[in-house]
Amino acid sequence: MREETGDIAWKKVLLVGVDTGEEKDFERSMEELKNLAQAACKEVAGIITQRLLTVNRVLYIGSGKAVEVKDFAGECKAEEVIFDNALSPSQVRNLTDILELPVLDRTNLILDIFALRAQTREAKLQVEMAKLEYMLPRLVGLHEALSRQGGASGSMSSKGTGEKKLELDRRKIEHRISELKKELELVERSRQTQRKRRKDSQIPQVALVGYTNAGKSTILNRMVEKYGECPQKTVMEKDMLFATLETSVRSIDVDGRPFLLADTVGFIHKLPHGLVKAFRSTLEEVRNADLLVQVVDFSDENYKQQIEVTQKTLRELEAGDIPQILVYNKVDKCRLETELPQIRGDQIYISAKGNRGIEELAEMIQSRVYADNQDCRFLIPYDKGAVVSSLMENTSVLEREYTERGILLHVNCSRQERAKYESYAL
């Protein structure tokens, strides 16, 4: 089904995949490629697959299959051909020559989706840099073909016009990548300042992570509506791949114990390394979290593989050792005769869209991030107003009493906060 995409013209595409037996679920990978194509405003006109022991280094597919793809593309009037795996620059060039159509691979397709979805300045800069870094080696791959165009007869230069143009294009791209890195460094400094401020506040940080379209934004919105400082500060939630590219952080307060909840970019099978690299600064919210809440689409029959993909990506981000809660979402779509929510240790089964299990999830998060907290009593002299202000802001105040010797505060606080004001403890 087509999504609402405004004035964007949809292109007919032909999907091609090679099954070497290495893929755990090849059919699932091709189905996901189809969904990605639709998310990039492309209409799938047909799918062709081939079983090979190993991919063809020249064409990725066999030479006979390449002719079949060309003929079928003509029959179904495809405007592009998309391959399920990453293609080398030479494979793209060779396939383009034979098919006489634009050739994309899975990486290029995901980059196109990110380009369509990017809204903020930071996301646009990150996507542009990832696309240019993807293009650069492919420009170099075209070097031989371009140089064969040759220069003028009798020219003193040994370089052809194609090669000269290639070098100019390469320099332009390298210069633009350098500019983008500088711009992103400025944005990153601002992010670091925000992160430092949040860390200094001693408020626990929690990040929603998981496969794209698992329901992370829906969970954030239900939390904000019930426990947020500004219930109207929700984020966009939509049933589509990569609806969210920006990291959004909201303050959630459950029974006087606040935590910061971050909605992050979704993961996917074969997520391009360039995108992980480009969005690393955005994903720092994941690495700095005290707790990760992994959201899983339980209604997807391949949810176990999605968990594996998420865990692998977290390890790439050096966040694999952070404590986690596993949230099985969309359970209501499975037609199971079970009451929601269900809690089993660090796992909870919910329906975020149906608003079933949000309270229990919030309590689970609160209990985990405040597990090491202690009830403490501090007697603060009246001339130490800054200490009182700090405790009032960074701890959960259970009781306050004004005595002859000073202000008696009964608070629930972290071990760090207790150690910081140990001299005032009773």
Side-chain angles (χ1 to χ4, degrees):
M1 183 178 293
R2 291 190 176 189
E3 300 165 4
E4 294 180 13
T5 50
D7 298 327
I8 298 175
W10 283 61
K11 288 186 177 180
K12 280 191 173 185
V13 298
L14 178 62
L15 307 184
V16 180
V18 171
D19 182 7
T20 61
E22 295 179 3
E23 191 85 42
K24 281 186 177 180
D25 192 338
F26 175 71
E27 290 183 4
R28 168 60 182 170
S29 183
M30 291 302 298
E31 180 65 26
E32 191 170 79
L33 184 68
K34 179 181 178 181
N35 293 335
L36 286 168
Q38 291 171 343
C41 302
K42 300 178 189 297
E43 181 181 341
V44 178
I47 299 175
I48 288 182
T49 62
Q50 183 177 27
R51 184 69 188 266
L52 293 173
L53 292 176
T54 181
V55 298
N56 187 315
R57 291 199 301 175
V58 177
L59 293 173
Y60 187 74
I61 54 178
S63 56
K65 183 62 71 172
V67 174
E68 182 185 330
V69 169
K70 180 181 179 181
D71 292 341
F72 189 47
E75 290 174 13
C76 65
K77 298 181 180 179
E79 300 167 81
E80 294 175 342
V81 181
I82 304 175
F83 287 75
D84 187 40
N85 266 321
L87 299 174
S88 69
S90 61
Q91 286 170 338
V92 172
R93 182 181 69 242
N94 295 335
L95 285 165
T96 302
D97 288 344
I98 291 176
L99 303 180
E100 299 178 353
L101 285 172
V103 173
L104 288 73
D105 60 14
R106 190 185 183 96
T107 299
N108 199 223
L109 181 61
I110 294 176
L111 286 169
D112 283 350
I113 296 171
F114 271 54
L116 283 171
R117 299 279 191 266
Q119 297 293 326
T120 66
R121 174 172 169 267
E122 181 182 16
K124 289 177 180 178
L125 292 173
Q126 289 169 325
V127 171
E128 184 183 354
M129 188 169 79
K131 285 180 75 73
L132 290 176
E133 288 183 333
Y134 171 82
M135 284 174 56
L136 193 58
R138 281 150 181 81
L139 270 182
V140 175
L142 290 170
H143 180 282
E144 189 177 323
L146 289 173
S147 64
R148 283 201 297 266
Q149 293 174 18
S153 177
S155 170
M156 295 295 291
S157 171
S158 62
K159 295 181 178 180
T161 56
E163 187 173 350
K164 288 179 180 177
K165 183 180 185 306
L166 173 70
E167 289 185 355
L168 286 172
D169 288 344
R170 186 179 65 232
R171 289 195 194 109
K172 285 179 182 178
I173 289 177
E174 288 174 341
H175 178 67
R176 181 55 182 159
I177 288 174
S178 178
E179 289 181 333
L180 289 168
K181 284 181 178 178
K182 290 177 183 177
E183 289 187 66
L184 284 168
E185 282 173 7
L186 293 174
V187 178
E188 171 59 11
R189 283 178 205 160
S190 174
R191 277 196 172 275
Q192 286 177 346
T193 301
Q194 293 172 355
R195 281 195 289 265
K196 185 178 185 302
R197 194 179 301 124
R198 288 198 289 267
K199 189 173 182 180
D200 291 343
S201 72
Q202 300 288 323
I203 299 177
Q205 299 180 51
V206 181
L208 294 162
V209 298
Y211 218 73
T212 180
N213 206 30
K216 298 182 295 299
S217 298
T218 304
I219 289 175
L220 178 74
N221 286 342
R222 298 297 88 77
M223 291 268 191
V224 168
E225 289 163 359
K226 187 168 183 62
Y227 304 106
E229 294 178 350
C230 302
Q232 71 277 12
K233 288 190 68 174
T234 56
V235 299
M236 185 184 81
E237 57 177 91
K238 198 168 183 180
D239 186 14
M240 65 166 64
L241 300 179
F242 298 115
T244 301
L245 295 188
E246 292 78 33
T247 295
S248 302
V249 182
R250 299 290 185 267
S251 179
I252 305 297
D253 192 319
V254 182
D255 298 329
R257 290 185 172 183
F259 57 86
L260 298 172
L261 186 62
D263 183 20
T264 62
V265 179
F267 306 143
I268 199 167
H269 182 47
K270 302 176 188 173
L271 183 66
H273 178 73
L275 276 177
V276 175
K277 180 182 174 184
F279 279 76
R280 185 170 288 273
S281 61
T282 307
L283 291 166
E284 283 293 310
E285 302 297 343
V286 175
R287 294 178 62 184
N288 291 322
D290 299 296
L291 177 71
L292 300 180
V293 177
Q294 184 183 165
V295 184
V296 180
D297 180 358
F298 192 64
S299 67
D300 191 307
E301 61 182 14
N302 295 282
Y303 73 89
K304 290 183 179 178
Q305 288 94 317
Q306 294 183 5
I307 294 174
E308 290 177 9
V309 169
T310 299
Q311 293 298 340
K312 179 183 177 183
T313 309
L314 290 174
R315 288 193 294 271
E316 286 182 25
L317 294 169
E318 300 175 5
D321 295 329
I322 298 174
Q324 293 186 29
I325 288 176
L326 195 59
V327 179
Y328 290 107
N329 189 29
K330 306 185 185 182
V331 180
D332 54 315
K333 295 174 69 175
C334 301
R335 297 180 181 177
L336 298 176
E337 293 183 6
T338 181
E339 290 293 324
L340 294 179
Q342 281 196 16
I343 300 175
R344 301 172 186 173
D346 287 331
Q347 302 178 3
I348 181 170
Y349 296 75
I350 71 168
S351 167
K353 196 175 184 74
N355 214 358
R356 291 151 68 189
I358 296 299
E359 291 182 19
E360 290 78 4
L361 175 58
E363 290 169 3
M364 279 182 74
I365 294 173
Q366 181 217 58
S367 66
R368 298 302 190 277
V369 295
Y370 283 98
D372 292 333
N373 274 31
Q374 306 171 323
D375 281 359
C376 303
R377 292 179 182 274
F378 297 100
L379 183 61
I380 316 298
Y382 285 108
D383 60 350
K384 300 294 182 181
V387 175
V388 175
S389 297
S390 178
L391 287 170
M392 293 288 289
E393 183 177 347
N394 299 318
T395 70
S396 178
V397 179
L398 306 176
E399 187 179 354
R400 177 172 52 181
E401 181 182 350
Y402 294 90
T403 71
E404 292 182 1
R405 296 167 55 198
I407 301 175
L408 179 64
L409 289 178
H410 180 200
V411 302
N412 182 273
C413 64
S414 65
R415 294 181 186 276
Q416 296 94 323
E417 204 72 20
R418 157 101 189 184
K420 187 176 179 181
Y421 299 113
E422 181 67 35
S423 59
Y424 302 105
L426 296 178

